[in-house]
Amino acid sequence: MRKYLNLAYKSLYRRKIRSFLTIGGVGVAVAVLVSLLGFNTGYRKALERDVGGMGYQVLVTAKGCPYELATVALAGVGSLRYLTDDTVAKIKEDPEVAEITPTLMVPLIKEEGTGFYTIWGIDLDTYSRLRPMMKIARGKHKEKVIDPDTGNEVEKEVDGPMGGWFKPREVKPDEIYLKNGRVVKGLIVGEGEYEKVTSRELNPVTGEFEETKKTFKTVKIMLPSRLYKKSEVTGVGGILALRDGTQIRGDISPIDDTFKAVTRDAQGTEQQNTYSKEQVLRVEDELTLKDGSKVLGVIMNETNEYYNVGDIELAYPNTEEVSLDLVKTFSNGKPKIIDYYKHFKGETEIVLGWEAAQTGFLQVGQKLTLKVKEMTKQKVKEKIIDPVSGKEKEIERETEMPVFNAYKFKVMGILERSGSKDDGFYFIQLEEAQRIFRRYKMLTGIGISLHDLAKLPMFTDRIYNRKELGETQVISLAEVKGTILNLVQTAKILVMSVAFIAIFVSLIGVINTILMSVFERTQEIGIMKAIGASNMDIFKLIWLETIIICALGGIFGTLIAIFGGKLIEKLIRVVMSKAGYVPAGEIVQFTPQIIIGCFLGAILLGILSGIWPAYRAAKMRPIEAIRRGE
Amino acid sequence: MENHTYAVLAEKLKKVYHLYKEEIVALKGIDVTIKKGEFVSIMGPSGAGKTTFLNLVGCLDKHTEGSLIVLCANLASLNERQLHNMRRHHLGFVFQEFFLIKELTALENVQLPIVFANEYKNLPWAQYLLERVGLKQRMNHQPKELSGGEMQRVAIARALANKPDILLADEPTGNLDTKNARDIYDLLRQLCNEEKITIIAATHNVKLAYLADRVIHLREGNIEKDELVIERRF
Ligand SMILES: Nc1ncnc2c1ncn2[C@@H]1O[C@H](COP(=O)(O)OP(=O)(O)O)[C@@H](O)[C@H]1O
Ligand SMILES: [Mg+2]
């Protein structure tokens, strides 16, 4: 072949523009193909990483569309459905369950509306056993610490772990089992005693009643609540949640069996409404803090310094004194009194994924405020001019109102970079998540690992047959991967066919270019034959030209693909994020196999498309060729 | 008749072209014998059949009737490969229009037949040939940088690259002025004398034709006259 190289090159060079255009055509086709294949491997790897990084093999969620669930499982976006947290204990009964961890995923719309903060409420104990790969990052970094002398926050350079996980709960509610069978759950915040008259007898001497008193020891029980410094609180209001889903914010006051709500609209004009008990689902207090965050709950008591806000579901009755005589056992063995004020400051511990920390420039020890937009339904009254009567009329309209809210956290730790979706997430303790986001007893998913994955079908059947679990869905992550890959496959087939059309078109382009040049060179080919070129010589020459075009096209296309890869990646991300789940990390990856494969493919294209023009050229009769050129 | 002393032996050589439904008889059954080492001019007006004859001898085309033996080979019985072999090793062709390959230099043009024949060891021969035709200084020039006479010299050198036995020249001076034409003929004469190459050159130029050893006059596909040049008239 070497002997034709000079000639082939020169004849291609003679038709520069046409040759370059054809090379460009082949290049584009190859670029499309290379990118697609690169996407295929990259995406698969990224997905593998995301799914493999889940740590658990099975996910139980509330029933929904499988793809949506898959998306929720991997990306944390989608319309959520909830399980109740008693499901965990029920599923745990199944003998096949090795580990089980409840999770609550809360997507928060960013204040600017440009995306989500995805918060995961996790149960650290079980979660870290299922996902040991989630580690606190290490390295040189800066931390915010409180200077013990001055009490001021200072920045300190540290080499070592970047913080840590949430502090283990030092205080867990006690369960106090009474002799009469009742269970009181709460925090023991103090001891007390009271005297009780056990008997009253008439003293015949004094003629007075004599009381026998006995002192009973008691424990003071308080349910979990939070303290908010009054200096931080800028406003106290109320929130009335109606059964129809609307919320009324304002001053709420109960009057007999109704609730009076005084609300203010944006202009500050007051409206007053009364709602019957039947309409009202929940009444809560709402504290507005300096930083804009809002706290919902019940103000249980207030001191000069603090408001003590309890969770509505837990706060009744908020305190109880139980006589020790009545107590059968304490869950802790003996009453342990905790310093309530020390432990329940209004701050939630948070651990950040690597990217979440990077993008927010966040350091360990620092306060983090996530400003979010939450949509609530509100009823507003409006005055309009009735078009019929021409009189002013008042109507009630339901609107979706954004409520801007801010959640306060304290950064406890930063996680090691995993290359998966986890990097962008925020982790807090499950109870905290349920409390601050008002998702009482709610879970979005339960991660499970089985003793024997092969028994998954039986396990699934058992779960589905237990009606008391409600509408649940058992998804194996292998299935999730399958579902997503299937979906991507469909898209890929579509794009692949585009690629193949591009290749086909470029094939025709190549054939056309070479055939044209063959016809233009009819005479030259005749001459070459007259001076001793064999049919095979001519065939090889033309063939070589085609292969050169395609090989150059292949190189060109691969270069475009590699250098344009970042761009293609961005494009795919935009398109795919509309569809739901996009894995983290590089989703377009070029392996040597792809590049070599596509290059060889381009040469094969040359070999194939060259055959016909080369054959045509070789078959030319010398004399006719010479003549035709005249 | 001893075949090997003859370069060309044609008997009742006939060539019929088919043009649409028309039959054009370009050669009407001519008998020609050309000895090895002879320098023969084919004379005749346009359309007489000169080119046709050269193409037949040059294995570029096939005759219709009669027999044509070139260098002991009966062309009628040769297949494509054998015909190509004849062209490659035994015949050299020079055209009126030179037909050099535009992108290649003079030297590369001359080397081309050697390259096609895979006889790389003979590549230096191309240089010798260019020197031989007087173009030592022009070797690396492209055809567009050469004059007509120079181009034809390159073409002659190229035709000689594979050391052919017969050099066929179809009106080699048709595109040249008198001076250059004469030079080319002198070159052919020299080659014939020194390299012992049989030369068959078509021309309608009387003066040039008689520079050969023998002049065959063709007219309308017949041989009108076949004369040996005893004494150079010019
Ligand atoms: N390929 C062809 N097809 C049809 N007719 C042809 C072809 N080649 C030559 N002829 C005809 O044959 C005759 C002889 O042509 P040619 O050998 O080219 O003459 P010359 O070279 O002497 O001018 C002419 O009448 C010409 O028109
Ligand atoms: Mg002619």
Side-chain angles (χ1 to χ4, degrees), chain A residues 3-4 6-7 10 14 523-524 527-535 537 621-623 626 630, chain B residues 55 60-62 80 84 87-88 95 97 99 101-104 108 112-113 115-116 118 120 158 162:
Chain A
K3 65 180 186 183
Y4 313 107
N6 183 31
L7 206 58
K10 287 196 166 148
R14 182 187 336 165
Q523 194 174 54
E524 195 177 296
I527 309 301
M528 287 199 267
K529 282 193 163 182
I531 63 167
S534 66
N535 288 1
D537 285 327
R621 304 274 311 267
I623 187 62
I626 296 169
E630 277 171 4
Chain B
N55 286 347
L60 294 177
D61 208 353
K62 283 178 171 161
E80 269 296 314
H84 155 246
R87 289 197 295 267
R88 175 178 284 181
F95 305 91
E97 301 88 347
F99 287 147
I101 310 251
K102 293 186 209 62
E103 298 75 42
L104 303 183
E108 284 169 336
L112 201 56
V115 168
F116 281 138
N118 281 325
Y120 295 99
R158 184 177 66 179
N162 280 327

Side-chain angles (χ1 to χ4, degrees), chain A residues 627, chain B residues 17-19 24 26 45-53 170-171:
Chain A
R627 259 187 174 275
Chain B
Y17 289 112
H18 296 274
L19 199 65
I24 297 161
S46 202
K50 306 185 291 295
T51 299
T52 304
F53 178 71
D170 191 0
E171 307 202 26

Side-chain angles (χ1 to χ4, degrees), chain A residues 312-461:
Chain A
I312 185 160
E313 307 270 307
L314 303 171
Y316 287 106
N318 56 30
T319 52
E320 185 163 347
E321 256 185 277
V322 180
S323 165
L324 281 175
D325 278 7
L326 294 172
V327 175
K328 200 164 76 182
T329 47
F330 290 95
S331 58
N332 282 338
K334 60 177 183 350
K336 215 174 84 192
I337 296 157
I338 61 134
D339 181 354
Y340 181 78
Y341 287 89
K342 196 174 139 201
H343 290 290
F344 286 88
K345 301 268 170 62
E347 200 168 58
T348 304
E349 295 174 345
I350 195 164
V351 171
L352 310 172
W354 178 259
E355 264 173 48
Q358 294 299 307
T359 50
F361 303 104
L362 296 168
Q363 298 174 356
V364 173
Q366 167 177 357
K367 298 255 188 318
L368 162 67
T369 307
L370 296 183
K371 297 200 165 163
V372 302
K373 186 165 83 176
E374 287 170 351
M375 303 305 286
T376 56
K377 280 198 230 159
Q378 290 240 30
K379 275 200 181 118
V380 289
K381 277 184 186 157
E382 261 182 11
K383 287 206 175 82
I384 57 157
I385 309 288
D386 190 294
V388 184
S389 63
K391 280 183 189 154
E392 204 172 68
K393 200 174 100 173
E394 201 176 63
I395 56 153
E396 205 175 50
R397 195 163 58 88
E398 199 173 83
T399 55
E400 279 241 302
M401 292 261 286
V403 175
F404 292 95
N405 211 339
Y407 292 100
K408 268 170 109 177
F409 304 93
K410 186 180 178 196
V411 179
M412 294 307 286
I414 295 166
L415 293 173
E416 226 171 52
R417 182 184 213 117
S418 67
S420 73
K421 284 262 152 199
D422 291 335
D423 289 344
F425 293 154
Y426 299 76
F427 298 89
I428 63 177
Q429 304 207 57
L430 179 62
E431 299 88 354
E432 293 284 287
Q434 289 175 333
R435 190 177 64 78
I436 64 175
F437 302 117
R438 333 254 346 120
R439 311 272 204 277
Y440 291 111
K441 297 177 191 297
M442 288 177 178
L443 301 176
T444 47
I446 300 170
I448 299 169
S449 77
L450 300 180
H451 289 297
D452 181 1
L453 190 58
K455 299 215 175 98
L456 175 69
M458 283 79 88
F459 171 75
T460 310
D461 279 352

Side-chain angles (χ1 to χ4, degrees), chain A residues 16 42 48 55 111 129 174 211 262 264 276 320 329-330 351 372 377 455 475 554 595 628:
Chain A
K16 281 193 257 335
E48 211 94 15
E111 192 179 56
R129 250 179 294 152
D174 269 311
E211 293 178 340
V262 180
R264 267 165 222 90
S276 74
E320 185 163 347
T329 47
F330 290 95
V351 171
V372 302
K377 280 198 230 159
K455 299 215 175 98
I475 327 165
I595 289 168
R628 194 130 28 101

Side-chain angles (χ1 to χ4, degrees), chain A residues 571-587:
Chain A
L571 207 77
I572 291 175
R573 264 184 195 286
V574 169
V575 173
M576 294 216 351
S577 62
K578 294 225 167 67
Y581 163 73
V582 199
E586 270 184 21
I587 52 170

